[in-house]
């Protein structure tokens, strides 16, 4: 099978998965106590005429399967409904905030991947040595940390106490910086949230790298590389790591939903104007269409991200493509 | 045999005893068990231990002092007492969510692994679908729609967490069902049901026990995360709700955030340490 066929086959996989996510949401809303209209109007209530019009508009008088079909088509055409609070299209609200979240995720991910892989190799170099034990403990600590509490403690220590970093938002609005001053200000604001997320995600990547390095170092080609007289550094980084990274890529692909969840919690702590803040506000104003739209959007994002991981994996390891 | 761990540990010899010996040798595991014991006792004895009741309201924002060891919050209730009552909530959520997901996961996983064929295919497709859905956001939507009572939250976490257990059990069943003792049971005329429950399941439990401790800490973290975002049960004290309330008063009451989070961190860390050590101890290969 050529790479192109592989990619196309994977692309076709998106639609059924997305339809499943939409179906789950549809049935949840219908199973929830009360009328689906309540979730559109909110707790404020509306007069009966408006309710009747909404019911007809939403097709609530139709059979359930017809309603589901219409809802799926509506979502697939990019209409995620309207926010109860601002009455703006949900998709617009999400897309407006998404770049800020993506910036945070990309930065922390790059950092934690580099650091995690390096520390993982370091731990795997001498299994069960004091260094390894210490690093293993550190990685367990890292993913036991409640991320929102970690963020709060970072704010208390480096924000309030030492006053080194700004504690809220993405930029200093009062100064109204532009150009490279703006970039510098943005970077300054990013330090604490990115550090929080990195500490949290580092542990998992470190642990995976260690486990997968330990499996690889026993293999013949690694022994051959040593026998050829290469230095430990060359063998570990050039020969072993390359193959050890494959399982790390897969599992990290599976962790993407967790990464977004972490980002959302950290954003809430740091008042970062991304999806996290949007979720938080939507929860507190019980903005159901926005929450449902968020779920569908993030499902879509996770599905696409997994697809990219699969394709990268296929590029790294040609064996996968022929299965 | 599906009894709790301590029972199998008291057997004079055998794998349980060996695992227990290995467990005691690891300092981190001993630390984990000590902290978990404190956590369990605190949760069980909460009303006796808490210096103040949940409804005792005094002066707000009192810093840590002799009368209020960990200070008071914005409403004037004692932080230490709230942490103690919060331990109870966390324990309930952790244990019951783990039990829910284990029951679902073990049932579906053993059916898929034992019968194979189309049953296995169908169940594994459902499992994959569940794993690709962003669980945290699904939990937010469900709790927002159905209400944030503690039992709703337990149910949601349990229903979202079963796929991992199902996959583990299925993998164990796939190898175990080909062993001689299963063949022997079958030729004796044992029913499928008895073979699954009496013969295979007891041997498939070690990875499930490890996974169980990790699921308890995972459930505790998920519940506190939801409560931190404002989806906690308003009728019970939760560490997540305490951190949610602390968010507003950072600049004047650091103790409102520091201590509940520390309790949460210690609880999840010690459970993860136990899980990690159990993994080493129950795995005969190492």
């Amino acid at each position: 099978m050529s790479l192109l066929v592989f990619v196309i086959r994977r692309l076709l996989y998106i639609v059924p998965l997305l339809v499943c996510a939409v179906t789950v949401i549809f049935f949840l809303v219908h199973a929830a106590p009360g009328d689906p209209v309540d979730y559109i109007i909110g707790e404020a209530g509306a007069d009966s005429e408006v309710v009747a019009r909404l019911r007809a508009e939403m097709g609530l008088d139709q059979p359930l399967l017809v309603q589901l079909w219409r809802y799926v088509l509506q979502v697939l055409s990019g209409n995620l409904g309207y926010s109860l609070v601002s009455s703006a299209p949900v998709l617009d609200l999400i897309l407006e905030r998404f770049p800020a979240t993506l910036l945070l995720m990309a930065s922390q991910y790059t950092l934690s991947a580099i650091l995690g892989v390096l520390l993982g190799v370091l731990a795997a170099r001498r299994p069960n040595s004091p260094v390894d034990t210490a690093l293993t403990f550190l990685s367990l600590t890292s993913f036991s940390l409640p991320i929102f509490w970690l963020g709060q403690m970072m704010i208390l220590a480096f924000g309030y106490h030492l006053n080194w970093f700004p504690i809220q938002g993405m930029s200093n609005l009062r100064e109204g910086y532009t150009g490279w001053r703006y970039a510098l200000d943005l970077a300054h604001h990013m330090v604490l949230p990115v550090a929080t997320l990195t500490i949290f995600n580092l542990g998992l990547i470190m642990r995976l790298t260690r486990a997968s390095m330990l499996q690889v170092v026993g293999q013949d080609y690694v022994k051959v590389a040593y026998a050829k007289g290469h230095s430990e550094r060359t063998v570990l980084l050039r020969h072993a790591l390359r193959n050890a990274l494959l399982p790390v890529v897969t599992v990290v692909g599976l962790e993407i939903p967790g990464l977004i969840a972490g980002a959302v919690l950290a954003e809430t702590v740091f008042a970062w104007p991304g999806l996290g803040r949007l979720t938080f506000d939507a929860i507190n104003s019980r903005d159901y269409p926005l929450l449902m739209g968020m779920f569908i959007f993030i499902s879509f994002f996770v599905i696409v991200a997994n697809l990219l991981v699969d394709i990268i994996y296929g590029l790294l390891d040609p064996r996968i493509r022929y299965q | 045999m599906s009894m709790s761990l301590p029972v199998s540990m008291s057997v004079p010899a055998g794998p349980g005893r060996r695992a227990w010996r290995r467990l005691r040798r690891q300092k981190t595991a001993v630390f984990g068990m000590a902290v978990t014991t404190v956590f369990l006792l605190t949760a069980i004895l909460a009303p006796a231990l808490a210096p103040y009741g949940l409804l005792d309201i005094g002066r707000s924002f009192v810093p840590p002092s002799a009368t209020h060891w960990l200070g008071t919050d914005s409403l004037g209730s004692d932080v230490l007492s709230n942490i103690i009552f919060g331990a109870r909530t966390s324990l309930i959520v952790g244990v019951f969510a783990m039990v829910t997901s284990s029951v679902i996961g073990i049932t579906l996983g053993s059916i898929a692994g034992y019968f194979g064929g189309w049953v296995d295919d169908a169940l594994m497709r459902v499992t994959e679908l569940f794993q690709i859905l962003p669980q945290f956001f699904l939990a937010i939507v469900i709790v927002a729609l159905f209400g944030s009572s503690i039992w709703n939250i337990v149910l949601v976490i349990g229903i979202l967490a079963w796929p991992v257990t199902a996959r583990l059990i299925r993998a164990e069943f796939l190898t175990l069902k080909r062993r001689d003792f299963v063949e022997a049971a079958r030729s004796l005329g044992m029913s499928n049901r008895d073979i699954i429950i009496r013969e295979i399941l007891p041997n498939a439990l070690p990875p499930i026990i490890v996974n169980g401790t990790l699921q308890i800490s995972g459930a505790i973290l998920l519940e506190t995360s939801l409560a931190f975002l404002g989806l906690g049960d308003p009728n019970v004290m939760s560490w997540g709700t305490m951190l949610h309330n602390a968010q507003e008063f950072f600049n004047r009451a650091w103790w409102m955030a520091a201590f509940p989070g520390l309790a949460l961190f210690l609880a999840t860390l010690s459970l993860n340490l136990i899980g990690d050590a159990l993994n080493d101890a129950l795995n005969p290969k190492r």
Side-chain angles (χ1 to χ4, degrees):
Chain A
M1 195 183 0
S2 75
L3 186 64
L4 187 69
V5 177
F6 171 76
V7 171
I8 291 175
R9 234 180 51 163
R10 288 294 158 134
L11 275 174
L12 289 178
Y13 207 48
I14 291 186
V15 179
L17 281 175
L18 195 58
V19 169
C20 284
V22 175
T23 310
V24 167
I25 277 292
F26 176 83
F27 282 111
L28 277 176
V29 171
H30 280 265
D35 195 315
V37 173
D38 295 344
Y39 299 113
I40 310 301
I41 298 171
E43 278 161 18
D47 56 72
S48 52
E49 242 173 80
V50 179
V51 174
R53 192 170 51 84
L54 262 175
R55 290 188 71 90
E57 262 176 28
M58 293 165 67
L60 287 176
D61 39 357
Q62 309 271 327
L64 208 59
L65 279 178
V66 177
Q67 289 183 43
L68 174 62
W69 175 242
R70 284 171 58 160
Y71 186 57
V72 167
L73 284 184
Q74 181 202 324
V75 170
L76 289 184
S77 70
N79 179 1
L80 295 181
Y82 297 87
S83 158
L84 289 182
V85 176
S86 68
S87 50
V90 164
L91 189 61
D92 291 359
L93 287 175
I94 292 174
L95 287 178
E96 189 191 322
R97 299 294 194 92
F98 192 50
T101 299
L102 213 54
L103 176 68
L104 214 54
M105 278 183 64
S107 325
Q108 67 94 0
Y109 191 62
T110 318
L111 256 181
S112 47
I114 295 172
L115 288 175
V117 166
L118 281 179
L119 291 176
V121 172
L122 193 65
R125 213 169 68 128
R126 303 260 182 281
N128 297 323
S129 66
V131 176
D132 180 33
T133 315
L135 285 174
T136 302
F137 183 75
L138 210 69
S139 79
L140 270 175
T141 314
S142 131
F143 57 72
S144 309
L145 275 168
I147 192 159
F148 40 99
W149 179 65
L150 177 62
Q152 289 179 329
M153 293 304 103
M154 297 280 250
I155 289 182
L156 279 176
F158 300 105
Y160 279 117
H161 194 67
L162 296 169
N163 212 359
W164 286 353
F165 299 103
I167 51 165
Q168 284 215 326
M170 227 174 130
S171 58
N172 193 333
L173 295 173
R174 245 176 303 168
E175 300 289 335
Y177 293 127
T178 50
W180 70 271
R181 284 298 307 267
Y182 174 77
L184 212 64
D185 183 45
L186 179 64
H188 197 203
H189 278 82
M190 276 172 68
V191 173
L192 288 185
V194 169
T196 305
L197 283 163
T198 305
I199 293 175
F200 181 68
N201 289 319
L202 187 67
L204 178 73
I205 297 180
M206 179 159 80
R207 206 171 153 79
L208 287 171
T209 311
R210 176 185 178 273
S212 131
M213 277 296 275
L214 284 183
Q215 279 189 341
V216 169
V217 285
Q219 307 257 326
D220 286 342
Y221 67 87
V222 175
K223 287 180 196 152
V224 169
Y226 273 119
K228 281 201 285 190
H230 289 308
S231 69
E232 187 187 18
R233 193 190 156 96
T234 317
V235 175
L236 285 182
L237 295 182
R238 289 259 180 86
H239 297 263
L241 184 60
R242 235 181 233 190
N243 290 286
L245 277 183
L246 286 173
V248 177
V249 170
T250 338
V251 179
V252 167
L254 287 175
E255 285 299 314
I256 291 172
L259 292 184
I260 308 182
V264 161
L265 288 166
E267 284 181 12
T268 306
V269 177
F270 291 100
W272 187 263
L275 291 184
R277 198 67 205 176
L278 196 63
T279 311
F280 185 75
D281 293 340
I283 287 172
N284 288 311
S285 55
R286 290 292 189 268
D287 194 341
Y288 297 102
L290 187 48
L291 285 179
M292 293 184 301
M294 193 81 81
F295 171 74
I296 292 172
F297 179 81
I298 288 173
S299 303
F300 177 71
F301 177 74
V302 169
I303 292 166
V304 172
N306 268 301
L307 179 91
L308 287 179
V309 168
D310 275 357
I311 293 175
I312 292 172
Y313 202 102
L315 287 174
L316 288 176
D317 186 355
R319 282 170 301 180
I320 298 296
R321 279 179 260 157
Y322 299 102
Q323 277 176 3
Chain B
M1 192 51 202
S2 61
M3 302 258 55
S4 59
L5 201 56
V7 174
S8 62
M9 277 173 173
S10 62
V11 178
R17 176 71 170 232
R18 248 196 333 267
W20 175 238
R21 261 210 312 273
R22 280 197 211 129
L23 213 55
R24 267 191 328 201
R25 271 207 302 269
Q26 292 195 36
K27 269 186 225 130
T28 51
V30 173
F31 171 78
M33 287 188 284
V35 176
T36 305
T37 312
V38 173
F39 169 55
L40 285 176
L41 289 178
T42 311
I44 294 164
L45 303 173
L49 288 176
Y52 295 87
L54 273 177
L55 300 172
D56 291 349
I57 305 289
R59 219 151 53 81
S60 25
F61 301 121
V62 176
S65 61
T67 44
H68 295 280
W69 290 359
L70 303 182
T72 65
D73 67 7
S74 53
L75 296 172
S77 89
D78 183 53
V79 172
L80 176 62
S81 307
N82 287 351
I83 290 179
I84 291 173
F85 285 109
R88 189 170 256 206
T89 310
S90 285
L91 182 72
I92 290 175
V93 170
V95 170
F96 284 97
M98 186 273 284
V99 169
T100 313
S101 72
S102 296
V103 168
I104 305 176
I106 290 177
T107 312
L108 295 184
S110 43
I111 290 175
Y114 184 77
F115 291 104
W118 67 269
V119 182
D120 184 27
D121 279 344
L123 286 174
M124 281 303 109
R125 284 293 99 75
V126 177
T127 315
E128 278 164 20
L129 173 70
F130 256 85
Q131 282 193 312
I132 205 160
L133 292 179
Q135 307 200 341
F136 184 61
F137 293 88
L138 191 52
I140 290 177
V141 172
I142 300 178
V143 175
L145 284 174
F146 289 82
S148 56
S149 89
I150 190 168
W151 297 111
N152 260 353
I153 293 174
V154 164
L155 205 63
V156 169
I157 299 176
I159 289 173
L160 291 178
W162 64 266
V164 182
T165 316
R167 297 189 95 130
L168 280 172
I169 273 281
R170 171 181 174 268
E172 289 292 308
F173 265 67
L174 284 181
T175 56
L176 287 172
K177 75 173 175 188
R178 296 188 208 294
R179 296 275 189 83
D180 290 341
F181 71 91
V182 178
E183 273 312 313
R186 203 172 284 136
S187 55
L188 283 172
M190 243 179 167
S191 68
N192 282 332
R193 196 194 132 103
D194 279 350
I195 294 177
I196 291 177
I197 296 176
R198 296 221 200 135
E199 298 296 321
I200 307 185
L201 200 55
N203 291 294
L205 280 181
I208 297 306
I209 294 169
V210 173
N211 185 49
T213 58
L214 300 181
Q215 288 207 326
I216 295 178
S217 69
I220 293 177
L221 270 179
L222 189 51
E223 185 273 332
T224 47
S225 303
L226 289 172
F228 173 71
L229 289 177
L231 288 171
D233 186 337
N235 298 315
V236 297
M237 187 46 69
S238 155
W239 294 336
T241 311
M242 295 175 77
L243 291 170
H244 173 84
N245 296 336
Q247 182 75 16
E248 256 181 273
F249 304 106
F250 257 171
N251 46 353
R252 52 186 308 188
W254 57 269
W255 54 90
M256 275 177 70
F259 297 120
L262 188 64
L264 171 59
F265 170 52
L266 284 176
T268 50
L269 176 66
S270 57
L271 284 165
N272 286 347
L273 285 174
I274 293 179
D276 195 54
L278 269 179
N279 195 20
D280 289 348
L282 292 173
N283 189 346
K285 271 174 262 163
R286 274 185 248 174

